[in-house]
Amino acid sequence: MSVFRVHNTLTRRLEEFQPLEPGHARLYTCGPTVYNYAHIGNFRAYVFEDLLRRWLKFKGFRVTQVMNLTDVDDKTIRDSQAAGLSLAEFTARYKQAFFEDIRVLNIEAAEHYPAATDHIPEMIALIQVLQDKGYAYRADDGSVYFSIDRWPQYGKLAHLDRSGLRAGVRVNADEYDKENVADFALWKAWDEKDGDVAWDSPWGRGRPGWHIECSAMSQRYLGPSFDIHTGGVDNIFPHHEDEIAQSEAATGQPFATYWLHCAHLLVDGQKMSKSRGNFHTLRDVLQRGYTGREVRYELLATHYRASLNFTFASLDAARTALRRVDEFTARLADAAGSAASAELPTWARLAATRFEAAMDEDLNISAALAALFDAIREGNAALDARALAPPAAAAVQALLARWDTALGVLAKPATAIPADVQALLDRRQAARTAKDWAQSDALRGEIANLGWNVKDTPKGQVATPR
Ligand code: AMP
Ligand code: ZN
């Protein structure tokens, strides 16, 4: 088995993945800020992280993944007030929507989804350690800041030029750009804009800054050091740079070994974002008649470090690609029948090697999908020539199923059978018991009109969406 190599933003190099604990991969993935429905740009990041998680499992690692929910920050406070709701009521709505959306996209559940507001004591304790060690100070405005000139490694992830650092300049906002590198807020003293959002602390009433949330929650669930930290490239600065500074200054230990960042989902060459207003939520796209599976394919099919321009035409292409997969899996199922799986044909064995080698090279999905579609072409040719015996067809089915543990997109999602279809199935079962084959066939036609296929198997009727 070949080794898995990943591109580490910290070193800007491809490196072999070696976890700190043998056999156990531990990941922290920055999660949603729950102030709106996540847009499909956000889901590009979560789908990439899902592919990473699934590939680690494919390689035999046990995975512990933490994804935080940012339910207190500048944006959640601002928009909860505009909606006239308490922060908790307001964010609860979008937390629920997020979990519904990830199910639609077949994103596997992480092991932990800590919410920031449930971890305020851990954040206060971490800030206290930073202050005790001399990395943090309370300013005249009552807020507590991280002192970046006390931390000479500041800038190592974003590769900042430190020569322009101005000691003592402060930034209180959660989001700021590289032109405004400065001491950043760990704890923000209450002001009237915060309304009733405040916690008691050794520095008076206030609330945490955004960056300290992830340092505190990663430490709580993964300890001071873990393997992989991910997010979109926009997280590199300031969010991840600040997380490293806070965590390493406090613990004196290295934070994450590997940093993986996905490129943006673009619309007309611009980052899809809420602030630009050029975004589509997953719900908008489903309303237009696309499926979660098609969106997942679209987000998955471009390498995570290449930017991806979103268009509805590319979603149509995703639909076409999946149709090709579905036609092949249906043909394979017919050819395999109930045969036990035997050896893979040579073309499938070669495809299996190519697929794994591609994914091992920093999740090279384009090459992996090329191996998949080459296998489909070879498989269809073999089926056309009646050269695929049932046991070999069953082996190819098993290969696709194994690939799909990593891709999560090849199998059609199980769909609940609607009541009207079930009623026809029940009538058809009764007709078959009475050996009324003409009625059974007529009912098959009616079921087809409702968009379902029915197959008779030794275990009875099996209905699948057409
Ligand atoms: P946010 O809710 O803004 O904190 O973002 C959640 C995640 O989505 C972060 O990992 C961001 O880096 C990522 N993200 C935001 N916009 C995009 C985009 N247009 N393309 C890819 N990832 C994005
Ligand atoms: Zn984070």
Side-chain angles (χ1 to χ4, degrees):
M1 204 162 64
S2 53
V3 299
F4 179 31
R5 302 206 305 161
V6 294
H7 180 268
N8 189 351
T9 307
L10 201 56
T11 57
R12 305 284 202 266
R13 278 204 297 269
L14 281 176
E15 295 173 358
E16 179 183 343
F17 174 69
Q18 286 182 314
L20 296 169
E21 282 176 33
H24 185 192
R26 292 175 306 135
L27 280 75
Y28 189 89
T29 51
C30 285
T33 305
V34 281
Y35 72 117
N36 206 323
Y37 296 104
H39 58 67
I40 57 172
N42 300 128
F43 284 115
R44 180 176 200 207
Y46 308 136
V47 166
F48 141 64
E49 288 152 357
D50 185 51
L51 183 66
L52 173 64
R53 162 194 175 85
R54 287 166 175 267
W55 190 249
L56 288 164
K57 286 168 72 174
F58 188 102
K59 300 293 288 177
F61 294 103
R62 177 162 82 85
V63 170
T64 301
Q65 180 188 0
V66 180
M67 178 176 278
N68 68 294
L69 305 171
T70 299
D71 61 352
V72 54
D73 78 326
D74 297 351
K75 294 184 288 197
T76 43
I77 293 174
R78 180 195 65 200
D79 289 4
S80 64
Q81 289 170 350
L85 293 172
S86 73
L87 184 66
E89 280 174 303
F90 178 74
T91 56
R93 184 191 287 180
Y94 297 112
K95 284 179 191 169
Q96 190 193 333
F98 173 71
F99 288 115
E100 287 167 7
D101 287 354
I102 62 173
R103 258 196 306 278
V104 170
L105 289 174
N106 201 22
I107 292 175
E108 281 187 356
E111 281 63 29
H112 304 279
Y113 288 105
T117 53
D118 293 332
H119 297 80
I120 305 288
E122 287 92 330
M123 297 171 202
I124 291 174
L126 185 56
I127 298 169
Q128 188 67 63
V129 171
L130 289 169
Q131 190 176 26
D132 293 347
K133 290 190 170 183
Y135 293 109
Y137 62 92
R138 185 161 185 255
D140 298 344
D141 64 3
S143 296
V144 181
Y145 291 86
F146 187 94
S147 178
I148 56 175
D149 64 349
R150 293 275 293 110
W151 184 249
Q153 297 176 57
Y154 191 78
K156 69 177 173 182
L157 182 72
H159 295 222
L160 294 181
D161 174 7
R162 287 181 58 93
S163 63
L165 290 191
R166 296 155 300 164
V169 177
R170 289 189 285 274
V171 53
N172 197 276
D174 285 334
E175 293 182 71
Y176 52 96
D177 53 32
K178 277 191 189 174
E179 278 68 62
N180 294 306
V181 174
D183 291 356
F184 57 90
L186 300 168
W187 185 260
K188 303 186 184 195
W190 182 87
D191 76 21
E192 58 272 17
K193 285 207 298 295
D194 293 342
D196 60 0
V197 178
W199 288 265
D200 286 321
S201 82
W203 314 282
R205 283 181 78 67
R207 62 176 173 103
W210 172 37
H211 316 298
I212 199 74
E213 297 181 4
C214 286
S215 285
M217 290 188 279
S218 60
Q219 202 180 117
R220 162 79 167 70
Y221 292 92
L222 297 172
S225 305
F226 56 92
D227 303 305
I228 304 182
H229 197 314
T230 65
V233 286
D234 56 309
N235 284 157
I236 296 173
F237 188 86
H239 187 49
H240 290 166
E241 191 69 58
D242 291 355
E243 277 188 46
I244 295 177
Q246 298 160 155
S247 299
E248 296 192 349
T251 68
Q253 294 176 58
F255 186 42
T257 316
Y258 308 94
W259 289 83
L260 273 62
H261 293 99
C262 71
H264 283 146
L265 183 71
L266 307 177
V267 183
D268 299 326
Q270 299 254 29
K271 176 190 172 196
M272 179 177 284
S273 71
K274 281 164 200 147
S275 55
R276 283 196 179 86
N278 62 349
F279 65 95
H280 298 288
T281 64
L282 178 62
R283 282 139 205 262
D284 299 335
V285 178
L286 299 180
Q287 281 290 318
R288 295 193 189 216
Y290 295 95
T291 63
R293 183 178 175 226
E294 287 160 355
V295 177
R296 180 179 173 90
Y297 186 93
E298 154 85 343
L299 296 178
L300 201 70
T302 297
H303 186 250
Y304 76 92
R305 283 194 292 120
S307 40
L308 165 59
N309 202 35
F310 175 78
T311 60
F312 284 98
S314 57
L315 268 180
D316 293 334
R319 175 171 291 178
T320 306
L322 287 172
R323 199 170 290 148
R324 199 162 153 70
V325 171
D326 292 344
E327 282 163 8
F328 181 59
T329 50
R331 288 189 83 187
L332 263 186
D334 279 346
S338 51
S341 140
E343 287 227 328
L344 281 173
T346 308
W347 52 265
R349 223 176 24 248
L350 290 175
T353 308
R354 273 172 66 199
F355 182 92
E356 190 160 345
M359 292 294 286
D360 273 341
E361 196 67 356
D362 196 30
L363 305 176
N364 185 347
I365 189 74
S366 319
L369 291 177
L372 165 73
F373 284 103
D374 284 349
I376 290 177
R377 194 171 33 77
E378 299 265 14
N380 276 324
L383 288 163
D384 291 345
R386 304 197 177 283
L388 200 62
V396 177
Q397 272 186 310
L399 175 66
L400 291 187
R402 169 132 175 85
W403 284 346
D404 208 28
T405 61
L407 301 176
V409 81
L410 302 181
K412 281 189 189 168
T415 318
I417 300 174
D420 50 353
V421 175
Q422 189 58 55
L424 291 172
L425 286 168
D426 293 345
R427 280 175 56 201
R428 187 167 178 273
Q429 187 53 51
R432 293 180 69 76
T433 308
K435 300 201 187 316
D436 184 348
W437 310 120
Q439 172 72 346
S440 164
D441 284 349
L443 285 164
R444 178 198 293 278
E446 286 189 47
I447 292 166
N449 287 341
L450 294 178
W452 288 72
N453 284 327
V454 57
K455 247 174 86 172
D456 297 302
T457 75
K459 291 193 189 128
Q461 306 179 99
V462 175
T464 46
R466 280 160 81 83

